[in-house]
């Protein structure tokens, strides 16, 4: 029984991190039709930047802002100066983001070496939360809280704000949105920066749980892809549910069949692609 | 009847160069690099079937290379199978995997196809990495002895080179036939006008799936030879970077040409070996090349060179293949 | 009464909540020349796309040659003996005209799944393609690539690709659009020469052409059938006037 609860919470925590990563990826893909294969690298780079900030004596919360901010700027620059030049050429855009992912990954090895580096936990959140004989790290509960808060914020942003209305219009029908006078150029940059910032900040937040290591990028990227395939293109709810499903499967799989945890990740994807190629909450096939 | 995408002359030149390679280079080291090029060329040719002729951009092609290599080594060096049985099972099972992956990836098209192939490929990588009891995990799997088919000693680099070259020749022959065949021409039609093809009575999905499986089969052949060459396989073989390198071979050489992937394979393998001898930053270079090619040379080297050649000869005819398959112009 | 070649019952198709085709019912008997008229956006092309199987209807049933094909894919319907042309020309621009027609021919032959035999060596196919091009007067351009031909020539190639398949049901979506007066006459003559065992449904804006060609005319507006009947009936009907002149 305890096992199920603890692993469930672990799955929830992992799914939460995944959601922070995948929500941005999904937004960018849904709106701009850009499959940003650098997204995993943003996550890893954000974590490294945050780690360096912490090692330089900065407090954990500021480090999250620094990690998120740095990646936000990086994403904005890449969007403006490279991806923008390739508008209307989705495959060229994908290949460029793949190239950038490699450049970032190798640069990280160069700067931060190949050893895994744990990111220290903020002192406020160390320790465990106990109910009778169950103990669960407070930090993970905190991460879960952050993801739920983020989901609520993004939902509010998308459904209730002007920016969100523009994004939704763009996701539904880009030419139409343009015809209605929405400045899609600016909108793209804003969304790309937002997604990048989430990836960067998510990386720092993940640091105390996952550590930072070379390969974190390519560990996380396919999971973000799977989440989007599962949840459906451009669907926030889909990204949320998809992240949690993958989080649970990964966590229970890891604990029950450590050899096969990765294979099991296949299953929801196989099922969804077979039975519902639009994803659980998507309206169009990917 | 101007089907033809390639003239015979450059093809003959490339093959003459490949045949004469052991005489052109002096040391075993270079002969071995030539073998690597040939194996990579088979893989790149098979990927080009999808990309150049089918318009399906796969980022998971390492799957077939890696799975066939793992199976070959596992079956022959660890499970006690003979070389021939091991090879047949490895290629057969990998082709079956291509059937499954093709089924899943072709539920989508364009970018979705790309995402699914990438995810499937990386999941296999994760399996190889984590399922250590079977795959040796990060340490990889070794212990394979090269076979002695028909009394040939494949431990001799030159003999091995001709052994793999023989497979490349067969691959090129089969793929060239395929491209001009009814199925191959149908595939090219589905690349250009899927909707029209449907209206003309073609089962677009089935044509793409059959081609996907055919491509996976040749990827598996490359994996078998890869296993014989390295006598070792590790998760790195299945990694996204391997798929990306193969993709680079295809687009650097020029998609949709028969010759391009061979030239691209030579370029990438040589570059990788040269660079690795001096610095350890291959991945950065790979990334930079990707960005540079997309931004500055979207049509690849071979069509670009051919166009330049044609311009020199003063012909005004544009190269139909180069136009057909510029990555940058392909929509999703 | 013989089974109609095309029978559509209660057909609907919505795009994002808006109906492009609304409750269309239509029966086209064998050999008929049926004309679809209607202003821009009336839903004519959408109706064709539904019959051809580009996308499924939101509601309703489609039968061709007496068979219910509502759930069948586009390629399956084509295999039954239906062919179409596109309002927006959809060809293989990098291939020769001859090659385009060959692709059309191969679509109905088993060789489309053959991974080995060289299509270039199928002399019979190429001869047949050449003959089809001759039919539409494009034989002299057979070895040009589509991108080197004029708009009018492409329109005729569209028709050639459909005719090559020897369909029993032919859907023509504005085959005269964008043609010069001379070209129109040529194409009209070509259409007149199609034997009567082919049933034709054609969309056309030009009233004169339409009237010269059609046995029965269906007028559509806002996705619905407004008037249907013989030439004389439709011309006389005040609703036709309304659709065309407004009010
Ligand atoms: N794929 C689609 N998605 C959304 N709306 C569509 C789509 N196809 C057609 N429509 C809409 O359906 C309506 C009917 O279009 P359709 O092309 O069928 O008209 P039409 O009668 O062929 O007009 P025209 O004479 O201009 O060719 C139009 O309002 C069009 O905008
Ligand atoms: Mg129309």
């Amino acid at each position: 029984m305890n096992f199920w609860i603890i692993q469930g919470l672990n799955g929830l925590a992992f799914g939460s991190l995944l959601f922070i990563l995948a929500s941005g990826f999904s937004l960018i893909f849904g709106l701009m039709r850009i499959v940003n294969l650098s997204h995993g690298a943003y996550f890893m780079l954000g974590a490294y930047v945050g780690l360096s900030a912490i090692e330089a004596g900065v407090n954990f919360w500021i480090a999250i802002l620094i990690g998120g901010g740095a990646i936000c700027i990086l994403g904005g620059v890449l969007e403006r100066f490279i991806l923008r030049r390739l508008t209307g050429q989705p495959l060229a855009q994908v290949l460029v983001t793949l190239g950038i992912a490699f450049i970032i990954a190798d640069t990280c090895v160069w700067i931060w070496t190949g050893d895994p580096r744990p990111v220290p936990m903020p002192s406020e959140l160390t320790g465990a939360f106990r109910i009778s004989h169950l103990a669960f790290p407070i930090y993970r509960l905190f991460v879960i809280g952050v993801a739920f808060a983020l989901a609520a914020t993004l939902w509010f942003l998308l459904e209730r704000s002007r920016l969100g209305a523009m994004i939704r219009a763009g996701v539904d029908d880009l030419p139409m949105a343009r015809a209605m006078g929405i400045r899609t150029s600016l909108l793209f940059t804003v969304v790309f920066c937002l997604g990048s910032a989430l990836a960067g900040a998510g990386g720092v937040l993940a640091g105390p749980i996952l550590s930072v290591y070379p390969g974190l990028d390519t560990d996380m990227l396919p999971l973000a892809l799977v989440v989007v395939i599962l949840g459906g293109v451009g669907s926030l709810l889909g990204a949320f549910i998809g992240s949690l499903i993958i989080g649970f499967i990964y966590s229970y799989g890891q604990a029950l069949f450590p050899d096969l945890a990765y294979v099991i990740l296949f299953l929801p994807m196989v099922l969804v692609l077979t039975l519902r190629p639009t994803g659980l909450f998507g309206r169009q096939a990917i | 009847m101007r089907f033809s995408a390639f003239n015979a002359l450059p093809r003959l030149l490339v093959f003459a160069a490949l045949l004469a390679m052991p005489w052109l280079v002096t040391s075993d080291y270079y002969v071995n690099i030539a073998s690597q090029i040939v194996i990579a060329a088979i893989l790149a040719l098979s990927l080009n079937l999808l990309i150049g002729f089918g318009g399906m951009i796969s980022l998971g092609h390492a799957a077939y290379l890696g799975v066939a290599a793992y199976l070959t080594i596992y079956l022959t060096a660890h499970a006690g199978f003979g070389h021939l049985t091991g090879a047949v099972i490895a290629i057969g099972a990998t082709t079956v995997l291509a059937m499954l992956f093709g089924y899943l990836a072709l539920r989508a098209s364009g970018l979705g196809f790309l995402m699914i192939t990438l995810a499937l490929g990386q999941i296999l990588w994760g399996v190889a990495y984590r399922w250590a009891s079977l795959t040796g995990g990060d340490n990889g799997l070794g212990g394979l002895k090269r076979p002695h088919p028909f009394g040939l000693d494949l431990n001799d680099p030159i003999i091995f080179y001709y052994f793999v070259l023989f497979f490349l020749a067969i691959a090129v022959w089969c793929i060239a036939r395929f491209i001009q065949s009814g199925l191959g021409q149908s595939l090219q039609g589905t690349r250009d006008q899927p909707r029209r093809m449907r209206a003309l009575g073609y089962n677009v999905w089935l044509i793409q799936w059959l081609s996907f499986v055919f491509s996976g089969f040749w990827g598996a052949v490359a994996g078998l030879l890869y296993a014989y060459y390295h006598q070792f396989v590790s998760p790195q073989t299945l990694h996204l970077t391997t798929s990306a390198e193969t993709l680079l071979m295809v687009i650097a050489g020029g998609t949709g040409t028969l010759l391009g992937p061979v030239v691209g394979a030579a370029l990438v393998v040589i570059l990788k070996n040269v660079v690795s001898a001096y610095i350890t930053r291959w991945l950065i270079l790979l990334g930079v090349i990707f960005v540079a090619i997309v931004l500055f040379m979207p049509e690849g080297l071979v069509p670009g060179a051919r166009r330049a050649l044609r311009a020199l000869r003063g012909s005004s005819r544009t190269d139909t293949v180069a136009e057909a398959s510029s990555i940058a112009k392909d929509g999703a | 009464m013989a089974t109609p070649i095309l029978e559509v019952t209660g057909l609907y198709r919505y795009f994002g909540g808006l109906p492009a085709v609304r409750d269309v019912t239509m029966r086209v008997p064998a050999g008929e020349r049926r004309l679809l008229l209607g202003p821009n956006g009336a839903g004519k092309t959408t109706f064709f796309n539904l019959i051809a199987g580009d996308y499924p209807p939101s509601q309703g049933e489609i039968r061709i040659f007496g068979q219910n094909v509502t759930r069948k894919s586009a390629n399956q319907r084509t295999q039954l003996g239906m062919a179409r042309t596109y309002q927006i020309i959809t060809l293989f621009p990098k291939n020769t005209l001859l090659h385009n027609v060959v692709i059309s021919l191969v679509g109905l032959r088993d060789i489309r799944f053959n991974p080995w035999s060289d299509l270039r060596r199928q002399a019979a196919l190429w001869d047949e393609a050449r003959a089809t091009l001759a039919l539409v007067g494009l034989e002299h351009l057979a070895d040009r690539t589509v991108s080197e031909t004029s708009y009018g020539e492409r329109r005729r190639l569209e028709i050639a690709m459909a005719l090559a398949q020897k369909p029993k049901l032919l859907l023509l979506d504005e085959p005269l659009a964008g043609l010069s007066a001379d070209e129109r006459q040529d194409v009209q003559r070509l259409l007149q020469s199609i034997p009567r065992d082919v049933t034709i449904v054609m969309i056309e804006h030009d009233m004169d052409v339409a009237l010269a060609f059609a046995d029965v005319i269906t007028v559509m507006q806002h996705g619905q059938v407004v008037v249907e009947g013989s030439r004389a009936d439709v011309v006389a009907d005040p609703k036709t006037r309304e659709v065309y002149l407004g009010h």
Side-chain angles (χ1 to χ4, degrees), chain B residues 222-278:
Chain B
L224 175 78
L225 300 176
Y226 180 97
Y228 287 164
Y229 176 82
H230 291 283
Q231 298 163 282
F232 171 79
V233 58
S234 74
Q236 189 56 36
T237 310
L238 282 166
H239 198 261
L240 173 60
T241 47
T242 307
S243 294
E245 279 167 18
T246 314
L247 179 62
L248 182 62
M249 294 171 193
V250 173
I251 56 177
T255 57
T257 60
L258 192 60
L259 195 66
V262 181
V263 176
L267 284 175
V268 172
V269 171
I270 290 171
L271 194 65
K272 189 174 177 181
N273 276 284
V274 170
V275 169
S276 305
Y278 297 99

Coordinates of all heavy atoms in Angstrom, one line a residue, chain B residues 222-278:
Chain B
A222 N 22.3 -2.8 -43.1 CA 23.4 -1.9 -42.6 C 23.8 -2.3 -41.2 O 25.0 -2.3 -40.8 CB 23.0 -0.5 -42.7
G223 N 22.8 -2.6 -40.4 CA 23.0 -2.9 -39.0 C 23.8 -4.2 -38.8 O 24.7 -4.3 -38.0
L224 N 23.5 -5.2 -39.7 CA 24.2 -6.4 -39.7 C 25.7 -6.2 -40.0 O 26.6 -6.7 -39.2 CB 23.6 -7.4 -40.7 CG 24.3 -8.7 -40.9 CD1 23.9 -9.7 -39.8 CD2 23.9 -9.3 -42.2
L225 N 25.9 -5.4 -41.0 CA 27.3 -5.2 -41.4 C 28.0 -4.3 -40.3 O 29.2 -4.5 -40.1 CB 27.4 -4.5 -42.8 CG 26.7 -5.2 -43.9 CD1 26.7 -4.4 -45.2 CD2 27.5 -6.6 -44.1
Y226 N 27.3 -3.4 -39.7 CA 27.8 -2.6 -38.7 C 28.3 -3.5 -37.5 O 29.4 -3.3 -37.0 CB 26.7 -1.6 -38.2 CG 27.1 -0.7 -37.1 CD1 27.5 0.6 -37.3 CD2 27.0 -1.1 -35.8 CE1 27.8 1.5 -36.3 CE2 27.3 -0.2 -34.7 CZ 27.7 1.0 -35.0 OH 28.0 1.9 -34.0
A227 N 27.5 -4.5 -37.2 CA 27.8 -5.4 -36.1 C 29.1 -6.2 -36.5 O 30.0 -6.3 -35.7 CB 26.7 -6.4 -35.8
Y228 N 29.2 -6.6 -37.7 CA 30.4 -7.3 -38.2 C 31.6 -6.4 -38.1 O 32.7 -6.9 -37.8 CB 30.2 -7.9 -39.6 CG 29.3 -9.1 -39.7 CD1 28.7 -9.5 -40.9 CD2 28.9 -9.8 -38.5 CE1 27.9 -10.5 -41.0 CE2 28.0 -10.8 -38.6 CZ 27.5 -11.2 -39.8 OH 26.6 -12.3 -39.9
Y229 N 31.4 -5.2 -38.5 CA 32.6 -4.3 -38.6 C 33.1 -4.0 -37.2 O 34.2 -4.2 -36.9 CB 32.2 -3.0 -39.3 CG 33.3 -2.0 -39.3 CD1 34.4 -2.1 -40.2 CD2 33.4 -1.0 -38.3 CE1 35.4 -1.2 -40.2 CE2 34.5 -0.1 -38.3 CZ 35.5 -0.3 -39.2 OH 36.5 0.6 -39.2
H230 N 32.2 -3.5 -36.3 CA 32.6 -3.0 -35.0 C 32.8 -4.2 -34.0 O 33.4 -4.1 -33.0 CB 31.7 -2.0 -34.4 CG 31.7 -0.7 -35.2 ND1 32.7 0.2 -35.0 CD2 30.8 -0.2 -36.1 CE1 32.4 1.3 -35.8 NE2 31.3 1.0 -36.4
Q231 N 32.1 -5.3 -34.3 CA 32.0 -6.4 -33.4 C 31.6 -6.0 -32.0 O 31.9 -6.6 -31.0 CB 33.4 -7.1 -33.3 CG 33.8 -7.7 -34.6 CD 35.3 -8.0 -34.7 OE1 36.1 -7.1 -34.9 NE2 35.6 -9.3 -34.6
F232 N 30.8 -4.9 -32.0 CA 30.4 -4.3 -30.7 C 29.3 -3.4 -31.0 O 29.2 -2.7 -32.0 CB 31.6 -3.5 -30.1 CG 31.3 -2.7 -28.9 CD1 31.1 -3.3 -27.7 CD2 31.1 -1.3 -29.1 CE1 30.8 -2.5 -26.6 CE2 30.8 -0.5 -28.0 CZ 30.6 -1.1 -26.7
V233 N 28.4 -3.3 -30.1 CA 27.3 -2.3 -30.2 C 26.9 -1.7 -28.9 O 27.0 -2.4 -27.9 CB 26.1 -2.9 -30.9 CG1 25.5 -4.1 -30.1 CG2 25.0 -1.8 -31.2
S234 N 26.6 -0.4 -28.8 CA 26.3 0.2 -27.5 C 25.0 1.1 -27.8 O 24.7 1.3 -28.9 CB 27.4 1.1 -27.0 OG 27.5 2.2 -27.8
P235 N 24.4 1.6 -26.7 CA 23.2 2.4 -26.9 C 23.5 3.6 -27.8 O 22.5 4.0 -28.5 CB 22.9 2.9 -25.5 CG 23.4 1.8 -24.6 CD 24.7 1.3 -25.3
Q236 N 24.7 4.0 -27.9 CA 25.0 5.2 -28.8 C 24.6 4.9 -30.2 O 24.1 5.8 -30.9 CB 26.5 5.4 -28.7 CG 27.0 6.7 -29.4 CD 26.2 7.9 -28.8 OE1 26.0 8.0 -27.6 NE2 25.9 8.9 -29.7
T237 N 24.7 3.6 -30.6 CA 24.2 3.3 -32.0 C 22.8 3.6 -32.2 O 22.4 3.9 -33.4 CB 24.5 1.8 -32.2 OG1 25.8 1.5 -31.8 CG2 24.3 1.4 -33.7
L238 N 22.0 3.5 -31.2 CA 20.5 3.7 -31.3 C 20.2 5.2 -31.0 O 19.0 5.5 -31.1 CB 19.8 2.8 -30.3 CG 19.6 1.4 -30.7 CD1 19.2 0.6 -29.4 CD2 18.6 1.2 -31.8
H239 N 21.1 6.0 -30.7 CA 20.8 7.3 -30.2 C 20.4 8.3 -31.3 O 20.7 8.1 -32.5 CB 22.0 7.9 -29.5 CG 21.7 9.0 -28.6 ND1 21.9 10.3 -28.9 CD2 21.2 9.1 -27.3 CE1 21.5 11.1 -28.0 NE2 21.1 10.4 -27.0
L240 N 19.7 9.3 -30.9 CA 19.2 10.3 -31.8 C 20.3 10.9 -32.6 O 20.1 11.2 -33.8 CB 18.5 11.4 -31.0 CG 18.1 12.7 -31.7 CD1 17.1 12.4 -32.8 CD2 17.5 13.7 -30.8
T241 N 21.5 11.0 -32.0 CA 22.6 11.5 -32.8 C 23.0 10.7 -34.0 O 23.3 11.2 -35.1 CB 23.9 11.7 -31.9 OG1 24.1 10.5 -31.2 CG2 23.8 12.8 -31.0
T242 N 22.8 9.3 -33.9 CA 23.1 8.5 -35.0 C 22.0 8.7 -36.1 O 22.4 8.8 -37.3 CB 23.0 7.0 -34.6 OG1 23.9 6.8 -33.5 CG2 23.4 6.1 -35.7
S243 N 20.8 8.8 -35.7 CA 19.7 9.1 -36.7 C 20.0 10.5 -37.4 O 19.8 10.6 -38.6 CB 18.3 9.2 -36.0 OG 18.0 7.9 -35.5
A244 N 20.4 11.4 -36.5 CA 20.7 12.8 -37.1 C 21.9 12.7 -38.1 O 21.9 13.4 -39.1 CB 20.9 13.7 -36.0
E245 N 22.9 12.0 -37.7 CA 24.1 11.9 -38.6 C 23.6 11.3 -40.0 O 24.0 11.7 -41.0 CB 25.2 11.0 -38.0 CG 26.0 11.7 -37.0 CD 26.9 10.7 -36.2 OE1 27.1 9.6 -36.6 OE2 27.4 11.1 -35.1
T246 N 22.8 10.3 -39.9 CA 22.3 9.6 -41.1 C 21.5 10.6 -41.9 O 21.6 10.7 -43.1 CB 21.5 8.4 -40.8 OG1 22.2 7.6 -39.8 CG2 21.2 7.5 -42.0
L247 N 20.6 11.4 -41.2 CA 19.8 12.4 -41.9 C 20.8 13.4 -42.6 O 20.5 13.8 -43.7 CB 18.9 13.1 -40.9 CG 18.0 14.2 -41.4 CD1 17.1 13.6 -42.4 CD2 17.3 14.8 -40.2
L248 N 21.8 13.8 -41.8 CA 22.8 14.7 -42.4 C 23.4 14.2 -43.7 O 23.6 14.9 -44.7 CB 23.8 15.1 -41.4 CG 24.9 16.1 -41.9 CD1 24.2 17.4 -42.2 CD2 26.0 16.3 -40.9
M249 N 23.7 12.9 -43.7 CA 24.3 12.3 -44.9 C 23.3 12.5 -46.0 O 23.7 12.8 -47.2 CB 24.6 10.8 -44.7 CG 25.6 10.5 -43.7 SD 25.6 8.7 -43.3 CE 26.7 8.7 -41.8
V250 N 22.1 12.2 -45.8 CA 21.1 12.3 -46.8 C 20.9 13.7 -47.4 O 21.0 14.0 -48.6 CB 19.7 11.7 -46.4 CG1 18.7 11.9 -47.4 CG2 19.9 10.3 -46.1
I251 N 20.8 14.7 -46.4 CA 20.5 16.0 -46.9 C 21.8 16.7 -47.4 O 21.7 17.5 -48.3 CB 19.8 16.9 -45.9 CG1 20.5 17.0 -44.6 CG2 18.4 16.4 -45.7 CD1 19.8 17.9 -43.6
A252 N 22.9 16.3 -46.8 CA 24.2 16.9 -47.4 C 24.4 16.4 -48.8 O 24.8 17.2 -49.6 CB 25.3 16.6 -46.5
G253 N 24.2 15.1 -49.0 CA 24.4 14.6 -50.3 C 23.3 15.0 -51.3 O 23.5 15.1 -52.5
G254 N 22.2 15.4 -50.8 CA 21.1 15.8 -51.7 C 20.0 14.7 -51.7 O 20.3 13.5 -52.1
T255 N 18.8 15.0 -51.2 CA 17.8 14.0 -51.1 C 17.3 13.7 -52.5 O 17.4 14.5 -53.5 CB 16.6 14.5 -50.3 OG1 16.1 15.7 -50.9 CG2 17.0 14.8 -48.9
G256 N 16.7 12.5 -52.7 CA 16.0 12.2 -53.9 C 17.0 11.9 -55.1 O 16.6 11.8 -56.2
T257 N 18.3 11.7 -54.8 CA 19.2 11.3 -55.8 C 19.7 9.9 -55.3 O 19.8 9.6 -54.1 CB 20.4 12.2 -56.0 OG1 21.1 12.3 -54.8 CG2 19.9 13.6 -56.4
L258 N 20.1 9.1 -56.3 CA 20.7 7.8 -55.9 C 22.1 8.0 -55.3 O 22.5 7.3 -54.3 CB 20.7 6.9 -57.1 CG 21.0 5.4 -56.8 CD1 19.9 4.9 -55.8 CD2 21.0 4.6 -58.0
L259 N 22.8 8.9 -55.9 CA 24.2 9.1 -55.6 C 24.4 9.9 -54.3 O 25.3 9.6 -53.5 CB 24.8 9.9 -56.7 CG 26.3 9.9 -56.9 CD1 26.8 8.6 -57.2 CD2 26.6 10.9 -58.0
G260 N 23.5 10.8 -54.1 CA 23.7 11.7 -53.0 C 24.1 11.1 -51.6 O 25.1 11.5 -51.0
P261 N 23.3 10.1 -51.2 CA 23.5 9.6 -49.8 C 24.9 8.9 -49.7 O 25.5 8.9 -48.7 CB 22.4 8.5 -49.7 CG 21.4 9.0 -50.6 CD 22.0 9.6 -51.7
V262 N 25.4 8.4 -50.8 CA 26.7 7.7 -50.8 C 27.8 8.8 -50.6 O 28.7 8.7 -49.7 CB 27.0 6.9 -52.1 CG1 28.4 6.3 -52.0 CG2 25.9 5.9 -52.3
V263 N 27.7 9.9 -51.4 CA 28.6 11.0 -51.2 C 28.5 11.6 -49.8 O 29.5 11.9 -49.1 CB 28.3 12.1 -52.3 CG1 29.2 13.3 -52.1 CG2 28.5 11.5 -53.7
G264 N 27.2 11.8 -49.4 CA 27.0 12.3 -48.0 C 27.6 11.5 -46.9 O 28.2 12.0 -46.0
A265 N 27.4 10.1 -47.1 CA 28.0 9.2 -46.1 C 29.5 9.4 -46.1 O 30.1 9.4 -45.0 CB 27.6 7.8 -46.5
A266 N 30.1 9.5 -47.2 CA 31.6 9.6 -47.3 C 32.0 10.9 -46.5 O 32.9 10.9 -45.7 CB 32.1 9.7 -48.7
L267 N 31.3 12.0 -46.8 CA 31.6 13.3 -46.2 C 31.5 13.2 -44.7 O 32.4 13.6 -44.0 CB 30.6 14.4 -46.7 CG 30.9 14.9 -48.1 CD1 29.8 15.9 -48.5 CD2 32.2 15.6 -48.2
V268 N 30.4 12.7 -44.2 CA 30.1 12.7 -42.8 C 31.1 11.8 -42.1 O 31.7 12.2 -41.0 CB 28.7 12.4 -42.5 CG1 28.5 12.2 -41.0 CG2 27.7 13.4 -43.0
V269 N 31.3 10.6 -42.6 CA 32.2 9.7 -41.9 C 33.7 10.2 -41.9 O 34.3 10.2 -40.9 CB 32.2 8.3 -42.6 CG1 33.3 7.4 -42.1 CG2 30.8 7.6 -42.4
I270 N 34.1 10.8 -43.0 CA 35.5 11.3 -43.1 C 35.6 12.5 -42.1 O 36.5 12.5 -41.3 CB 35.8 11.7 -44.5 CG1 36.0 10.5 -45.4 CG2 37.1 12.6 -44.5 CD1 36.1 10.8 -46.9
L271 N 34.6 13.3 -42.2 CA 34.6 14.5 -41.3 C 34.7 14.1 -39.8 O 35.5 14.6 -39.0 CB 33.4 15.4 -41.6 CG 33.4 16.8 -41.0 CD1 34.5 17.6 -41.7 CD2 32.1 17.4 -41.2
K272 N 33.8 13.1 -39.5 CA 33.8 12.7 -38.1 C 35.1 12.1 -37.7 O 35.6 12.4 -36.6 CB 32.6 11.7 -38.0 CG 32.4 11.3 -36.5 CD 31.1 10.4 -36.4 CE 31.0 10.0 -34.9 NZ 29.8 9.1 -34.8
N273 N 35.7 11.3 -38.5 CA 37.0 10.7 -38.2 C 38.1 11.7 -38.1 O 38.9 11.7 -37.1 CB 37.4 9.6 -39.2 CG 36.7 8.3 -38.9 OD1 37.1 7.6 -38.0 ND2 35.6 8.0 -39.6
V274 N 38.1 12.6 -39.0 CA 39.1 13.7 -39.0 C 39.0 14.5 -37.7 O 39.9 14.8 -37.0 CB 39.0 14.6 -40.2 CG1 39.9 15.8 -40.1 CG2 39.4 13.7 -41.5
V275 N 37.7 15.0 -37.5 CA 37.5 15.9 -36.4 C 37.8 15.2 -35.1 O 38.5 15.8 -34.2 CB 36.0 16.4 -36.4 CG1 35.7 17.1 -35.1 CG2 35.8 17.3 -37.6
S276 N 37.4 14.0 -35.0 CA 37.6 13.3 -33.7 C 39.0 13.1 -33.4 O 39.4 12.9 -32.3 CB 36.9 11.9 -33.7 OG 35.5 12.1 -34.1
A277 N 39.9 13.1 -34.5 CA 41.3 12.9 -34.2 C 41.9 14.1 -33.6 O 42.9 14.1 -32.9 CB 42.0 12.6 -35.6
Y278 N 41.3 15.3 -33.8 CA 41.9 16.5 -33.2 C 41.1 17.1 -32.0 O 41.7 17.5 -31.1 CB 41.9 17.6 -34.4 CG 42.8 17.2 -35.5 CD1 42.3 16.7 -36.6 CD2 44.2 17.3 -35.3 CE1 43.1 16.2 -37.7 CE2 45.1 16.9 -36.3 CZ 44.5 16.4 -37.5 OH 45.3 16.0 -38.5

